[in-house]
Amino acid sequence: MKRRIPKPAEPGQAAAPRDKMTLNAQLGMLLWVLLWLGYNTSFDYAVSPKFETSPSYFIHGIRAFFPMLATWISIFIAFARGNQVFRWITGPMGLMLMYALVGLVASASYSPSPSVALYFGANYLAIVMVLLAVISVDDPMSDLRHILNLTWNIGFIFTLSLLGAIPFLGSAALTETDTNPVGVRAYGGGTEILGMPGTRNTGFARYAAISALVALPRFMKKGNIFVRIIWGVIFLASLAGLIMANGRTETLAFIAGVAVILGMEKTRRTVNLLVAAGASIVLGLRGFFNAFYMYITRTGVIDPTMTGRTHTWDEAVRYFWDSPWVGFGFQADRYYLGGEHMHNAFLHAYFQAGLLGGTAIVIGVIIVWILIAKYFFFKPPEDRSLIPPEIPAVFMFITISSITESTFAYFSAAWLLSAPIVPYVMALHNHVRKISMKAAWERAARIRQARRESRFLDPRPQLPRPEGV
């Protein structure tokens, strides 16, 4: 019996069911797992005297080089798909690549510790190269969705694992506080876990918030009741984790992400607005907003220094003019700012890669937002499955978080959880353009056919069919 080969879907139509995912998707997911395996480690483990005697040092030392392995594999793939790669580096992906390369040049030229800076710069480059390798095919949207689902499933695992570990870690993971409605703050002390630096409350909040934003629209979607119950449980567990973590920026960014999800429901937008207004009035009468103000400020007083961040930003601006064009390389804030972390993605990008690299990645983020606004809100494609609400919601979360966290500026969990959104939006843009070209070509063909049938022959030669449609 012959194996039935599904007919490829026309541009603008939902893809036909496949027996299995493409080889490109499988390879991309494998490379993305390698990136995650290289997270929260460094080559310090590999050069430590304990590398040969401590199992934890050995494992962390080995996995520190997994992102570089992913980079080399991606480079070979990119060479094999040279023409396709060139098509994609003319947009945000190319701007991300420029940021990484400029940062690497600055790392070798200006960093007090070039080896450390180049290592973390190479890890950042790995994210860009893997995404370029995956997107460089004719129709990468389905493959990129697989990678997005994979990385968000990893986020679910981290969220639920950290939440489930709290009873076992006890006081090591909890700090008592009067401003949190549950009376404690989770992971406020950065407990070490399995020989690695443990997550802090903001890291836990980040995993929990993104997991909740991904779970919410899937719970709201009509379908199998048991599947919806599972997503509802994941959403509530993630929301509980976010509340316990008391990550202030993450909480505000999460609220903005929820607003994006509700705003995308055009048929229920008015109902959602009325329900939200009614809920706000009821919550206000119950004293919710006073409690929320204490939760966000923790002290009842707004801190204009943002827990000292503004001082760090002032120092960064002062140093910036010593190397304004290419910056000081990756991890530069650790060396030039007295060991402080920048805690602002935009300033961090400029500090590491100067005006050349920093401006490149900021423009890339702006372009992605323009395309998200166009296709997810103002001119959505007919196939609504191409624009899942969690994509703009998570990108909104990352963008707002960038004000007080470095998110997209370095090799971080936040960027691993959201970076595939960039090529997906670009692939969506290319997909919709193909639909428009096909429609224009068919419209012109119908006009010429009508002229022939009415005996008014068109002396001009027939227009060639656009490539790709």
Side-chain angles (χ1 to χ4, degrees), residues 266 374-384 387:
K266 284 189 174 182
K374 179 178 180 179
Y375 296 122
F376 285 77
F377 294 96
F378 297 110
K379 292 184 178 181
E382 292 184 8
D383 184 358
R384 302 286 296 187
I387 51 171

Side-chain angles (χ1 to χ4, degrees), residues 218-374:
R218 300 182 183 193
F219 166 71
M220 296 170 59
K221 185 178 180 180
K222 295 180 180 179
N224 188 300
I225 185 63
F226 296 105
V227 173
R228 294 184 66 187
I229 290 174
I230 292 173
W231 285 119
V233 170
I234 293 176
F235 171 75
L236 291 176
S238 301
L239 184 60
L242 176 62
I243 294 171
M244 291 181 65
N246 195 196
R248 294 174 289 184
T249 301
E250 288 76 17
T251 300
L252 295 175
F254 168 75
I255 294 172
V258 171
V260 168
I261 292 172
L262 298 179
M264 280 194 65
E265 295 283 338
K266 284 189 174 182
T267 57
R268 300 174 57 185
R269 188 176 294 170
T270 302
V271 174
N272 290 339
L273 180 62
L274 293 174
V275 170
S280 297
I281 294 173
V282 173
L283 290 172
L285 295 175
R286 301 287 296 178
F288 170 81
F289 294 109
N290 288 333
F292 184 75
Y293 177 76
M294 291 297 298
Y295 176 82
I296 288 295
T297 62
R298 295 181 186 168
T299 60
V301 179
I302 295 177
D303 179 9
T305 71
M306 302 181 73
T307 62
R309 286 180 171 87
T310 54
H311 173 72
T312 302
W313 299 345
D314 290 339
E315 286 291 300
V317 172
R318 184 171 65 84
Y319 274 109
F320 173 78
W321 299 108
D322 292 338
S323 179
W325 294 109
V326 298
F328 300 96
F330 288 92
Q331 296 290 99
D333 54 340
R334 303 296 192 185
Y335 300 108
Y336 287 90
L337 305 179
E340 294 292 329
H341 186 55
M342 186 69 75
H343 288 294
N344 181 289
F346 302 98
L347 286 176
H348 205 159
Y350 279 103
F351 198 68
Q352 291 185 150
L355 291 171
L356 294 177
T359 302
I361 195 167
V362 169
I363 291 175
V365 171
I366 293 173
I367 292 174
V368 172
W369 262 120
I370 291 173
L371 295 178
I372 285 177
K374 179 178 180 179

Side-chain angles (χ1 to χ4, degrees), residues 95 139 155 159 200 338 440 452:
L95 294 171
D139 187 12
T159 299
R200 298 189 66 83
R452 292 190 185 98

Side-chain angles (χ1 to χ4, degrees), residues 424-444:
Y424 182 85
V425 171
M426 296 308 301
L428 174 64
H429 174 61
N430 186 64
H431 184 83
V432 174
R433 286 182 61 191
K434 284 184 178 181
I435 296 173
S436 300
M437 291 171 62
K438 181 176 183 293
W441 182 85
E442 291 177 344
R443 189 162 50 248

Side-chain angles (χ1 to χ4, degrees), residues 119 125 149 153 175 201 204 313 341 354 392 403 405 424 465:
Y119 169 78
L125 178 64
N149 289 331
N153 285 334
T175 303
N201 68 307
F204 181 36
W313 299 345
H341 186 55
I403 299 172
E405 300 293 339
Y424 182 85
R465 187 185 182 96

Side-chain angles (χ1 to χ4, degrees), residues 376-459:
F376 285 77
F377 294 96
F378 297 110
K379 292 184 178 181
E382 292 184 8
D383 184 358
R384 302 286 296 187
S385 69
L386 300 177
I387 51 171
E390 60 266 27
I391 286 181
V394 171
F395 208 69
M396 173 65 78
F397 174 87
I398 291 298
T399 304
I400 293 178
S401 297
S402 299
I403 299 172
T404 60
E405 300 293 339
S406 290
T407 56
F408 63 78
Y410 74 118
F411 185 76
S412 65
W415 195 223
L416 285 171
L417 286 166
S418 56
I421 292 175
V422 176
Y424 182 85
V425 171
M426 296 308 301
L428 174 64
H429 174 61
N430 186 64
H431 184 83
V432 174
R433 286 182 61 191
K434 284 184 178 181
I435 296 173
S436 300
M437 291 171 62
K438 181 176 183 293
W441 182 85
E442 291 177 344
R443 189 162 50 248
R446 286 195 298 269
I447 293 174
R448 290 192 300 273
Q449 182 64 26
R451 288 175 176 174
R452 292 190 185 98
E453 291 176 354
S454 60
R455 299 182 183 278
F456 291 101
L457 297 180
D458 189 349

